[in-house]
Amino acid sequence: MSNKDLDPYTAKAENNNLTLQEKVDGLRKIVKSVKAGMLTTRSPNGALHSRAMVPAGLSLSPSQVTLCFIANRVSGKFDEIGNDAHVNVSFYDESSTNWASYAGIAKISQDKEKIEKHWSSTTAAWFGDLGDGIHKGDQHDPRVALIEVVPSEIRYWIATQGAVGRVVNIATSAIMGNAAAPGELRTITQDEIKLVHGLESK
């Protein structure tokens, strides 16, 4: 038997008939509604560490698929990214059951223009003013750095039915012995991500 025969849920839920912009629009809808994602990094001993972080600058481009986070460069995640730049960022919307998973490479930057572009007044709350005239908790603070996650692949699931419809779909499928699929699995491939980046740079 093929994998599709053995995994009927995936075979039923996958939708590969969308345009790239349709897939990007669906992804951005999830990320913007959830707001905070879980950034996962790997420590030198192989342990995976996750923490909630809010992406910055999501409204800058309607085709944006990279994620940017402003963070304190003396925190442990920077050491872990320096050791292994492969990261994952995941989002989950409990109300709709939509989710998204980014697999990619994290790049660290202290480019002043990029930081200014992504800075917001609430970001200062995560740094604090240390009172030494240097570490002021503003965008010029030497602790401030940007983590840019450049995805190599993005997978997400988006509900195509409301809450009641999802319950009925799952219950009916269980009774009938069928695979439930109250939503769609979508993949934005590495080649598609490169195409989006090419469009953004024009």
Side-chain angles (χ1 to χ4, degrees):
M1 297 181 75
S2 68
N3 285 345
K4 286 190 174 182
D5 293 326
L6 293 172
D7 187 3
Y9 160 71
T10 298
K12 190 174 181 179
E14 279 185 331
N15 184 354
N16 299 313
N17 299 313
L18 297 169
T19 67
L20 176 54
Q21 190 59 55
E22 286 174 331
K23 289 195 280 187
V24 171
D25 289 344
L27 171 69
R28 287 172 57 80
K29 177 182 176 182
I30 295 172
V31 175
K32 293 180 78 171
S33 66
V34 177
K35 295 183 173 60
M38 297 298 293
L39 170 65
T40 302
T41 54
R42 187 186 299 275
S43 70
N45 68 4
L48 298 174
H49 296 148
S50 300
R51 73 285 293 164
M53 298 189 71
V54 178
L58 287 177
S59 61
L60 295 178
S61 168
S63 60
Q64 179 181 338
V65 293
T66 57
L67 294 171
C68 291
F69 303 97
I70 292 178
N72 190 328
R73 70 180 181 87
V74 303
S75 61
K77 55 184 163 287
F78 283 84
D79 291 334
E80 294 183 347
I81 291 171
N83 179 68
D84 184 349
H86 292 87
V87 300
N88 179 271
V89 186
S90 59
F91 299 85
Y92 178 67
D93 185 345
E94 185 177 1
S95 63
S96 65
T97 68
N98 294 341
W99 59 262
S101 175
Y102 290 66
I105 300 295
K107 298 181 178 180
I108 297 171
S109 170
Q110 286 192 290
D111 183 286
K112 298 301 182 184
E113 289 186 6
K114 287 185 177 181
I115 290 173
E116 182 177 3
K117 184 169 67 172
H118 292 92
W119 187 264
S120 69
S121 57
T122 57
T123 308
W126 300 104
F127 293 89
D129 186 344
L130 302 187
D132 60 4
I134 299 173
H135 303 93
K136 299 179 181 180
D138 59 13
Q139 64 194 74
H140 306 294
D141 191 312
R143 295 172 295 169
V144 175
L146 195 71
I147 300 173
E148 181 181 16
V149 177
V150 180
S152 54
E153 183 182 73
I154 304 168
R155 297 184 180 187
Y156 71 95
W157 188 93
I158 191 164
T160 54
Q161 299 177 355
V164 174
R166 294 196 300 272
V167 171
V168 171
N169 185 297
I170 294 169
T172 303
S173 298
I175 293 170
M176 301 298 293
N178 299 322
E184 294 180 355
L185 284 171
R186 303 174 181 178
T187 301
I188 301 177
T189 66
Q190 188 168 33
D191 286 341
E192 288 176 321
I193 291 166
K194 289 179 180 178
L195 178 59
V196 171
H197 286 168
L199 293 173
E200 285 186 324
S201 63
K202 290 181 179 179

